[in-house]
């Protein structure tokens, strides 16, 4: 058998999603698409448009959206995983699967810092990062993609350490400031080494998060120049307002607003980014598991909070948790477009919501109901066990 014939005989998984009532793209420039059908081949979006204009034949799986809304799967930009779907921080099992029921399809680790006995020597921290990267690449709770293996910077690291980590597949650093690197000069040098190797960085921002951590103020954040200003609204304790505004104004980097932070400070960062016409920099995370627990609906709650209290159209708020984060984190998800991962969340107005439709209900502060989640073209869950019940839910009609 020739290589060409082998490729031809490989099974093709074709997903067709039809009868979409509202298609939310995740793209700030075009948050709502004039389309009602999506076709995905082998987990990748192939076509988006009107059903009459798209080839929907020979589908392996067909989903009738029943007029509900479809959005890109939500991305949590800031989590602290440890081992599989267990967190010692709260001694809780199944937390990632619970977040899947909140519409989250992708997570980015900000460091496996809750690992009991976390090694702080350079050989140990590299080994732990590579092990976490390998483990979560092979194990996806409920199908959720966890980009783990995020080493925390420690004194004594050299450029070759970052080359070794990058060669092993590590793509993200843990929060700068959670290890022994506490000064901007050292942080900036190591962040530059990481960036040179294709590793993205995040810096802790604000007061101490747990005993043993320390304040990271605007001066260190600006000097370090990490790619993402982690929890710009504090995790949990926020910087003074003038420092938050200065970070928005003086840094070009991503502004991450988290659930486990100061809500008022988050709204300040959002308002400042809007005034600067730099809303594309705003991304969302939960910063969980943490002392305040795990928030399975944390990203949905952030969308609702920023939309209702931040006076932002709901379709724009959804972009912060999807397309914005995907772009800032260099991921191939978060957007409904040809060539992107076929990971979706189906949403509808929660039963008995005062909102006249899905977007209005979110802007009034209600959470939407999740009716189904698809990851890489495969159905991961149907009606969520965690959100308020959706008024309508999609249906698998073939597959």
């Amino acid at each position: 058998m020739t290589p060409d014939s082998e490729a031809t005989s490989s099974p093709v998984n074709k997903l067709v999603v039809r009868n979409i009532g509202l298609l939310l793209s995740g793209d700030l420039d075009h948050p709502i698409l004039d389309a009602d059908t999506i076709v995905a081949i082998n987990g990748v979006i192939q076509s988006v448009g009107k059903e009459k204009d798209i080839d929907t034949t020979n589908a392996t799986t067909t989903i009738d959206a029943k007029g509900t809304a479809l959005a890109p799967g939500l991305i949590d930009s800031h989590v602290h995983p440890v081992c599989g779907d267990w967190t010692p921080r709260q001694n809780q099992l199944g937390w990632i699967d619970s977040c899947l029921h909140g519409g989250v399809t992708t997570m980015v680790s900000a460091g496996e810092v809750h690992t009991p006995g976390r090694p702080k020597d350079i050989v140990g921290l590299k080994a732990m990062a590579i092990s976490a990267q390998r483990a979560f690449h092979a194990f996806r709770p409920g199908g959720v993609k966890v980009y783990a293996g995020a080493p925390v910077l420690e004194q004594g690291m050299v450029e070759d350490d970052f080359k070794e980590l990058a060669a092993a597949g590590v793509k993200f650093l843990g929060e700068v400031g959670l290890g022994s690197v506490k000064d901007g000069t050292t942080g900036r040098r190591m962040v530059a080494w990481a960036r040179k190797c294709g590793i993205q960085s995040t810096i802790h921002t604000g007061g101490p998060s747990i005993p043993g951590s320390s304040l990271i103020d605007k001066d260190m954040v600006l000097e370090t120049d990490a790619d993402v200003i982690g929890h710009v609204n504090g995790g949990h304790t926020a910087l003074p307002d003038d420092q938050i505004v200065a970070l928005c104004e003086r840094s070009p980097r991503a502004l991450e607003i988290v659930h486990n932070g100061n809500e008022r400070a988050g709204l300040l960062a959002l308002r400042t980014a809007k005034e600067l016409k730099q809303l594309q920099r705003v991304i969302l995370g939960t910063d969980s598991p943490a002392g305040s627990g795990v928030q399975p609906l944390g990203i949905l709650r952030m969308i609702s909070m920023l939309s209702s209290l931040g006076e932002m159209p709901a379709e724009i708020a959804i972009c912060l948790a999807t397309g914005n984060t995907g772009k800032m984190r260099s991921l191939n998800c978060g957007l409904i477009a040809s060539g992107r991962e076929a990971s979706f969340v189906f949403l509808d107005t929660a039963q008995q919501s005062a909102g006249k439709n899905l977007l209005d209900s979110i802007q009034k502060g209600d959470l939407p109901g999740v009716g189904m989640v698809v990851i890489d073209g495969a159905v991961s869950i149907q009606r969520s066990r965690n959100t308020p019940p959706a008024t309508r839910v999609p249906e698998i009609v073939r597959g």
Side-chain angles (χ1 to χ4, degrees), residues 5-300:
S5 62
E6 286 181 4
T8 302
S9 64
S10 299
V12 174
N13 294 312
K14 181 174 181 178
L15 170 69
V16 173
V17 184
R18 55 178 297 275
N19 197 21
I20 300 167
L22 174 67
L23 191 45
L24 301 165
S25 71
D27 184 350
L28 280 176
D29 293 330
H30 305 284
I32 297 176
L33 298 178
D34 183 19
D36 59 16
T37 302
I38 294 176
V39 173
I41 302 292
N42 294 334
V44 177
I45 298 172
Q46 181 187 62
S47 305
V48 181
K50 296 291 188 180
E51 184 171 6
K52 62 182 178 61
D53 301 322
I54 295 177
D55 178 12
T56 60
T57 60
N58 301 316
T60 309
T61 303
T62 298
I63 298 172
D64 183 348
K66 298 287 186 179
T68 61
L70 182 147
L74 307 181
I75 307 170
D76 189 336
S77 172
H78 194 126
V79 297
H80 291 293
V82 172
C83 181
D85 208 357
W86 168 69
T87 169
R89 191 75 175 95
Q90 294 292 338
N91 195 24
Q92 180 173 334
L93 287 168
W95 69 276
I96 297 173
D97 183 73
S98 277
C99 292
L100 169 65
H101 281 260
V104 173
T105 59
T106 305
M107 294 178 167
V108 178
S109 174
E112 294 74 41
V113 294
H114 302 303
T115 302
R118 175 173 67 88
K120 299 180 181 179
D121 65 288
I122 296 169
V123 171
L125 73 86
K126 289 192 294 185
M128 190 179 81
I130 294 168
S131 176
Q133 186 274 332
R134 295 285 194 276
F136 279 100
H137 180 75
F139 175 64
R140 293 171 50 180
V144 176
K145 292 185 177 180
V146 183
Y147 290 91
V152 172
L153 296 184
E154 301 287 356
Q155 293 286 353
M157 295 182 76
V158 297
E159 186 171 0
D160 282 346
D161 293 320
F162 297 91
K163 292 179 181 177
E164 181 183 348
L165 288 164
V170 170
K171 297 182 180 300
F172 300 97
L173 291 185
E175 292 176 70
V176 179
L178 296 187
S180 57
V181 174
K182 306 288 189 184
D183 66 284
T185 301
T186 305
R188 187 182 187 91
R189 182 171 66 251
M190 291 187 179
V191 161
W193 286 337
R195 189 177 291 130
K196 183 178 177 181
C197 296
I199 300 175
Q200 192 183 81
S201 56
T202 297
I203 189 165
H204 178 93
T205 308
S209 56
I210 57 175
S213 59
S214 57
L215 167 70
I216 304 294
D217 65 8
K218 74 165 175 60
D219 292 332
M220 180 171 172
V221 173
L222 290 171
E223 184 175 4
T224 301
D225 192 34
D227 298 299
V228 176
I229 300 175
H231 47 64
V232 70
N233 60 322
H236 304 274
T237 308
L239 293 173
D241 287 2
D242 62 335
Q243 293 200 30
I244 293 173
V245 171
L247 290 175
C248 295
E249 292 178 341
R250 295 171 57 187
S251 170
R253 303 302 182 182
L255 301 167
E256 183 186 74
I257 303 175
V258 301
H259 182 279
N260 283 349
N262 181 313
E263 290 88 349
R264 190 193 63 81
L267 290 166
L268 170 64
L270 178 71
R271 184 168 63 250
T272 305
K274 285 199 296 183
E275 291 171 354
L276 293 170
K277 294 182 171 36
Q278 295 179 5
L279 202 57
Q280 74 279 1
R281 293 170 56 199
V282 179
I283 63 178
L284 306 184
T286 58
D287 192 9
S288 66
S292 58
V294 173
Q295 296 77 32
L297 306 184
I299 297 297
L300 284 177

Side-chain angles (χ1 to χ4, degrees), residues 23-33 70-75 77 255 270 279-284 299 302-304 306-307 312-328 333-336 345 347 359 362:
L23 191 45
L24 301 165
S25 71
D27 184 350
L28 280 176
D29 293 330
H30 305 284
I32 297 176
L33 298 178
L70 182 147
L74 307 181
I75 307 170
S77 172
L255 301 167
L270 178 71
L279 202 57
Q280 74 279 1
R281 293 170 56 199
V282 179
I283 63 178
L284 306 184
I299 297 297
M302 289 293 294
I303 290 169
S304 177
L306 295 176
S307 178
M312 169 180 288
E315 63 270 26
I316 298 295
I318 288 170
C319 294
L320 309 185
T322 54
N324 273 20
T325 307
K327 291 174 184 177
M328 284 291 181
C333 57
L335 294 169
I336 303 298
V345 56
L347 304 168
L359 298 180
I362 293 173

